[in-house]
Every structure is written in structure tokens, then in C-alpha cells.
Amino acid sequence: MKFGKRLKQQIEQSLPDWRDKYLSYKELKKLLRLITSAPAKMSGSPSEYGKAEAEFMYLLNNEIDKFNSFFMEQEEDFVIRHKELPHRIQKAVDTWGPNGSQPSDLDFKDEMAKIRKEIVNFHGEMVLLMNYSNINYTGLAKIVKKHDKRTGGVLRLPFIQKVLEQPFFTTDLISKLVKECETTIESVFPPPEYSGTGIFQGERAAPGEGIFKNTVAALMTMEEMRRGSSTYSHFSLPPLDLPDFDVIQSLQLLSPIQIP
């Protein structure tokens, strides 16, 4: 699949508020065409080539700033939400649990169901942010490779070395939060028990529903893009400690049904 088509697909499968935060790949390709079609230097005045090249570099650097700003904002929000989870669970136990201040099986189940739904969506959003880093880095690497191929320039290596140091490229913290989120789910919300009637007890969500569908699509994209090359180089995507599909499927079963 060509990258432009893949990027469009990923944007469509992302969260609505995220869709203008992805790489402006079409605009960069248009500027690259201007660079390659512009005449050579003209004496006495800036060349069309120079102007097109400057616009291309300006947009490239603006895209990096856009990625960093969005990524760090989301990362900060995720850290806060992650810290709040154990407190919310403990509060539910202390208030409505069997030994709580206001024991109530119904209220306890309702509150835990709300927390469970939030955790499932939270996990999905973090996976989508990992994919956001993945797809935008790949787009940058591809567009500067096209630039060097068509212009004979040597932009690719220094530019990618710069990108590797950017906040949006570093997903170690998000990957750690994803794993911790999965541990919380496995310890607090065990997998539903099989009822013997063809469904799981407590099974509520149909395959492909809500953010689950987007999360699975993001995981498949990240794995596929890392399988795309058998060789490692400066431009390769870093290895990721991706979530286990078994855990993702457990999350799906734990996800409350969406009421129209």
C-alpha cells in the first residue's frame, strides 16, 4: 500500500480531534514537485528553486513542532489520567465495597463498570498515540528520501538524526503506561468466564465496536510497517513493546455496550 493511502486510512481511523495533527504529506509532495520543476539559479535574484526549497523546509520544521506540541500535550494528559486510576478504584472499594463506608453491591458494580469503560478507552487512546508517532515518523522519512532522490540533495540523514531526538518520536513512557494499564485490567477486571452457551458471561461489545476497532487497526499498522524491511538502518523505526492481542481481546469483552 502506498504511504499516502495508508496515511489517509490512519487519519480516518483516528479520533476526530486528532485528524488535523497528522503529517501534511500532500502539501509536502506538492512543494517537492515545485522544487524539482523550478528552473536553476538565476543571477541577481532569488531562484524559484531556492524559494520552493525554503518553503519545503519551513513546512517540514513546522510539522515537527506540530507533532511535538500535540504529542507532549497528550502524554501529559495520559500521565495524569493514569495516576488517577488506582485512586478511583480504591475510592469505589472504600465507599461501596463489602467493607466500605456505604456498602452497596449495585453502586459498586455501576462505578466499577464506569471505571472499566474509561480504562478500555484510555488504553486504546494510548495505543493510537503510539501509532501517531509511528506513522508521522515514517512519513517524514519517506518525504525526505523522495527529496534527496529527486534533487540529488543530502537532507535525509541530518534531518532524520534531528527527528530521532524529538519528543514525539520517544514512546517509551507511553509504552510503559500501556503495559501498566493492562496489568491493572488483568488484576482488577479478570477475563469473563465462559458460560457454556456460546458467549462469555458479561460479554457486551461486538467485534470492531468503538475505539477497539481503531486500536486493533493501529496495532496491525505498527507491526506491518516494522515488517516492511528486513534490514536495520538509521532510518528504521525503533522496536516497540506492543500490547498483546490477547489482552486487547479481553479489553473488548470488558467494554460496556454502547447505547444509541
Side-chain angles (χ1 to χ4, degrees):
M1 182 187 296
K2 289 188 176 181
F3 179 77
K5 186 176 180 180
R6 185 191 297 278
L7 176 61
K8 181 180 178 182
Q9 184 182 75
Q10 291 301 298
I11 292 173
E12 290 171 350
Q13 292 173 341
S14 185
L15 301 175
D17 292 345
W18 293 24
R19 291 175 185 168
D20 62 344
K21 309 300 182 184
Y22 284 81
L23 180 68
S24 302
Y25 193 65
K26 281 187 177 180
E27 287 75 8
L28 286 165
K29 285 180 69 177
K30 287 178 183 177
L31 288 173
L32 187 53
R33 283 196 291 270
L34 287 176
I35 293 172
T36 55
S37 63
K41 290 183 179 179
M42 295 180 293
S43 59
S45 64
S47 68
E48 290 182 33
Y49 178 93
K51 288 180 180 179
E53 179 76 15
E55 288 182 19
F56 179 80
M57 291 304 304
Y58 180 80
L59 181 54
L60 267 183
N61 289 316
N62 269 10
E63 292 295 277
I64 291 177
D65 291 340
K66 177 177 74 177
F67 300 157
N68 285 337
S69 177
F70 176 73
F71 186 90
M72 289 189 293
E73 180 182 337
Q74 294 300 314
E75 188 176 60
E76 182 180 359
D77 178 60
F78 290 163
V79 169
I80 294 171
R81 288 164 65 183
H82 179 73
K83 288 181 178 179
E84 290 174 347
L85 286 177
H87 297 294
R88 288 200 53 195
I89 293 170
Q90 191 60 50
K91 182 179 179 181
V93 173
D94 292 342
T95 305
W96 296 293
N99 300 315
S101 58
Q102 304 171 45
S104 171
D105 187 55
L106 180 60
D107 289 339
F108 180 72
K109 286 182 178 179
D110 285 347
E111 181 62 18
M112 292 300 282
K114 291 177 185 176
I115 296 172
R116 181 179 62 192
K117 180 179 180 181
E118 289 181 19
I119 294 176
V120 170
N121 289 337
F122 178 43
H123 181 275
E125 287 176 44
M126 290 192 290
V127 172
L128 291 178
L129 189 64
M130 291 168 67
N131 188 50
Y132 173 86
S133 172
N134 179 90
I135 199 79
N136 285 309
Y137 167 78
T138 301
L140 289 173
K142 285 186 175 294
I143 200 68
V144 293
K145 181 180 179 181
K146 287 179 183 291
H147 171 276
D148 287 3
K149 184 178 180 180
R150 295 181 184 182
T151 66
V154 288
L155 171 63
R156 190 183 183 198
L157 182 57
F159 183 80
I160 292 300
Q161 287 176 333
K162 173 185 175 181
V163 171
L164 298 182
E165 299 173 355
Q166 301 303 311
F168 88 89
F169 182 76
T170 308
T171 59
D172 292 351
L173 175 57
I174 296 299
S175 182
K176 178 175 176 287
L177 294 180
V178 166
K179 291 298 181 184
E180 290 180 2
C181 187
E182 291 170 359
T183 299
T184 299
I185 290 169
E186 290 176 331
S187 61
V188 179
F189 306 107
E193 296 179 0
Y194 192 67
S195 66
T197 60
I199 61 172
F200 288 92
Q201 292 177 1
E203 182 174 2
R204 300 188 178 185
E209 212 175 67
I211 199 171
F212 174 78
K213 179 180 179 181
N214 296 347
T215 303
V216 171
L219 286 168
M220 292 177 68
T221 296
M222 285 188 278
E223 289 196 336
E224 181 181 342
M225 293 180 78
R226 279 164 173 74
R227 288 197 305 264
S229 175
S230 59
T231 58
Y232 180 81
S233 71
H234 293 292
F235 314 107
S236 300
L237 285 161
L240 282 178
D241 188 11
L242 295 173
D244 193 313
F245 273 105
D246 290 340
V247 176
I248 296 294
Q249 290 167 351
S250 295
L251 291 178
Q252 177 198 12
L253 294 177
L254 289 168
S255 179
I257 192 169
Q258 297 178 352
I259 301 175

